[in-house]
Amino acid sequence: MFIRETTTKNRITKKEYKKHVLVESYRTEIGPRQRVVMQLGTLTLPKSEWKKLASALEGRIAGQITLFEDENEIAEATEKAMIHFSFTQKKTQAKEERLEKGNFVSVDLDSIATAESRSLGPELVAHTMWERLELNELLNACGFTPTQQALAEAIVIGRLVAPSSDLASWQWLRERTALVELLPVNLSEIGKNAVYEIADQLLANKKELERGLRAKEKMLFPRQNQVYLYDLTNTYFEGGAQNNELAKRGKSKEKRSDCPLVTLALVVDDAGFPIFSQIYGGNQSEPETLEDILTCLQTDSPLELWDNRPMIVMDRGIATKDNLALIKELDYPYIVVERRAVEKDYLDEFQDARESFERISPGKSGEQSRSTDETISESVFVKKLSIEKGSRILCLSEGREKKEDAMDSLKETRFLDDLNRLKTSVEKGNIQLVEKVGERVGRLKERYSTIARYYEIHLEVDEKEEKVKDLTFEKKTTRKDRSVLTGCYVIETSDEALSAEEVWRLYTTLTKIEAAFRSLKTDLGVRPVYHQLANRTRGHLFISVLAYHLLISIEHQLREQGDSRNWSTIKDQLSTHQRTTVIVTDESDHIHHIRISGTTEKSHREIYKLLHVKDPLKRKHEIVGKRL
């Protein structure tokens, strides 16, 4: 064997290219001939070394390694050529197999059409995580039949992929998704009542499912799990919901106080995984729920809590004096911001916080203020003080200070504008009666309660004390104290060993539960609630909680591999991966239906690789009839 060099020229650019091939001579009946054994590309070896390379390659093809490969340059060139040769052989073999096994028919190109295109990408990811969490095994242990297991998976994944009402989920299952093809049971004929019934059955097994998911998630994604974050949110009903005992009027966190509300309480760990959920009426007082939640947690998982009690982290909405006493009585470690304004007790310390407190710089230690990987953009100043059986951390947040300053400034401007308008009306005589002016002042104090407390308002009345001649107001000296305390808060903890920064960082994990509520409302269709019965409302919310288990597991697995995409981004990117039926007519007028999954794109493959997702669906081919 020997190496031959050939030269080719580009017709347009006139540029010449050289390539090299390994050539073999052999004898035939009509004389000696030559054939190309291997393409070598463009060699960088000097021509004097080609003979050695040819001998080394000849040996490799025969299954031997020659002495020429003792030279590094020859060895590297030989290895590179053999890799390319192996790839070419495999490619040729695959082509031969494809030609041998291929099902070739002549078709009418004008007859090609597609039908029944269904979403596949997000469903593949959700289905894979459902299997990893072994939810079917959990459902089986709860007495679910295979059909009920498949329907439960369809409804929960439907809430994750296409959040909507139960009725809309049923229509989505029938008309828009390829999920039914991933399930072991045919759900094509399932009626809409079955959707409501499976929600009832899931709710009936809520305790077992939450306990099982908690254990499985801890095994799949090991973590210390020593911090429990607790908070509540509410959402609103569409319709009057007059027969729904959960539908109550209250203060809406979504500014929908015009509608009846329902409250969802949630406990998550510091990684955002749900531990426990509970549903209350819309007028439920947040602080009153803590004792019930702790009791339910102890009943549901007594060994876990008694052996190693988690640290309870709560915001000021729940941390009343009575609740703090309850946590201490039950011997839970805790980190809280009290409901009362404790920072007022430390006015002197906060006045020189920037000079005397420890500074936590923006982005220090990779700190993230939200589960969405948004790094802290402002400094925080902290100072630890010892108290009886614990510590207090004085905190000044520049970010919070700017936010509160902006809010206060806006409210104060509006308050003073309204006061000046009232003063002008009094001076013009448009409103003068003491009773009427007093009512207007009272309304302003009620509307701007956080600002009005810092102002003295005086009414100058006539001798008969019936009419107001003038209205004056002045700022109290305590307004300066408020300015000092803007952006300040006090964290209390039972742990005396943790540093100020460690306590503050644990407190900021509350953003995990805020992110959970945000996902439930925006990604998982919690709002609005259409159900008019209490039990169906509970079922609707619990399905969203189950879907959140899938969501947080998917996002956490991505985070472990350095990918910060959230579920909404994943869903958008995978929405273009679909399953479709290709329809074509052959030369014999037979109509072929070929059901196939779309070819994955680069963004699809990246996500599937990170989440270890594979498409189990095979190509399906059938002849459905003959063209007339």
Side-chain angles (χ1 to χ4, degrees), residues 46-63:
K47 191 171 184 177
S48 59
E49 302 291 327
W50 288 4
K51 190 172 182 179
K52 294 179 183 179
L53 177 59
S55 298
L57 291 172
E58 186 175 358
R60 281 290 195 99
I61 293 171

Side-chain angles (χ1 to χ4, degrees), residues 394-411:
L394 310 187
C395 306
L396 167 60
S397 166
E398 289 184 341
R400 181 180 288 202
E401 182 181 34
K402 289 180 180 179
K403 181 179 178 181
E404 290 180 1
D405 267 338
M407 292 171 63
D408 277 1
S409 178
L410 179 62
K411 288 179 181 178

Side-chain angles (χ1 to χ4, degrees), residues 108-380:
D108 177 6
L109 292 179
D110 291 334
S111 71
I112 296 176
T114 60
E116 296 183 2
S117 294
R118 299 289 186 267
S119 169
L120 176 62
E123 288 87 342
L124 270 178
V125 169
H127 174 71
T128 301
M129 189 54 68
W130 179 278
E131 291 185 330
R132 288 197 70 198
L133 292 174
E134 297 180 355
L135 270 157
N136 282 335
E137 286 77 359
L138 280 177
L139 295 175
N140 184 58
C142 295
F144 283 59
T145 66
T147 300
Q148 290 169 333
Q149 292 171 31
L151 184 56
E153 179 179 354
I155 295 308
V156 174
I157 291 180
R159 186 63 57 84
L160 179 66
V161 175
S164 190
S165 66
D166 291 342
L167 177 59
S169 295
W170 174 70
Q171 293 170 336
W172 168 82
L173 192 62
R174 292 165 61 90
E175 301 170 2
R176 293 169 47 204
T177 180
L179 176 62
V180 289
E181 299 180 57
L182 294 167
L183 302 175
V185 177
N186 183 9
L187 298 180
S188 59
E189 301 301 323
I190 288 291
K192 60 184 178 182
N193 287 336
V195 174
Y196 300 120
E197 291 165 3
I198 202 66
D200 295 341
Q201 195 170 355
L202 287 169
L203 180 64
N205 293 276
K206 173 179 176 293
K207 183 183 294 186
E208 292 77 12
L209 291 173
E210 287 190 325
R211 185 190 299 127
L213 280 168
R214 185 164 64 243
K216 188 62 183 178
E217 287 163 348
K218 193 172 182 180
M219 184 180 74
L220 285 176
F221 310 107
R223 54 201 187 278
Q224 289 186 344
N225 212 21
Q226 296 303 306
V227 177
Y228 281 5
L229 317 171
Y230 177 54
D231 205 352
L232 300 93
T233 191
N234 55 36
T235 190
Y236 59 94
F237 287 87
E238 284 287 352
Q242 296 179 355
N243 297 321
N244 192 328
E245 64 189 38
L246 294 173
K248 303 293 183 183
R249 300 281 176 172
K251 184 178 180 180
S252 172
K253 297 190 176 185
E254 300 165 327
K255 298 183 179 180
R256 287 305 305 267
S257 298
D258 58 315
C259 302
L261 306 174
V262 61
T263 299
L264 173 64
L266 194 62
V267 179
V268 305
D269 66 16
D270 53 347
F273 286 89
I275 303 297
F276 182 78
S277 64
Q278 189 71 297
I279 297 158
Y280 297 98
N283 61 349
Q284 177 65 51
S285 168
E286 292 189 358
E288 292 175 3
T289 62
L290 181 63
E291 184 173 3
D292 180 41
I293 291 294
L294 292 178
T295 301
C296 290
L297 278 173
Q298 288 180 334
T299 303
D300 188 34
S301 52
L303 292 177
E304 182 180 339
L305 292 183
W306 284 107
D307 290 349
N308 194 2
R309 287 181 177 272
M311 178 171 282
I312 305 295
V313 182
M314 300 182 301
D315 214 342
R316 67 170 78 233
I318 307 169
T320 61
K321 184 178 180 180
D322 290 341
N323 279 343
L324 200 52
L326 173 66
I327 293 174
K328 293 177 180 178
E329 180 185 341
L330 295 175
D331 200 27
Y332 279 98
Y334 63 86
I335 293 177
V336 300
V337 171
E338 277 193 69
R339 200 167 195 177
R340 74 181 185 91
V342 184
E343 58 269 15
K344 292 180 180 179
D345 300 340
Y346 299 97
L347 179 62
D348 293 340
E349 283 85 351
F350 279 120
Q351 284 181 335
D352 60 349
R354 286 178 171 80
E355 291 74 32
S356 60
F357 285 17
E358 175 189 352
R359 180 173 181 262
I360 303 175
S361 301
K364 181 180 176 182
S365 302
E367 173 61 25
Q368 294 168 344
S369 64
R370 294 175 57 188
S371 63
T372 51
D373 300 336
E374 179 184 343
T375 56
I376 294 172
S377 58
E378 307 289 348
S379 293
V380 178

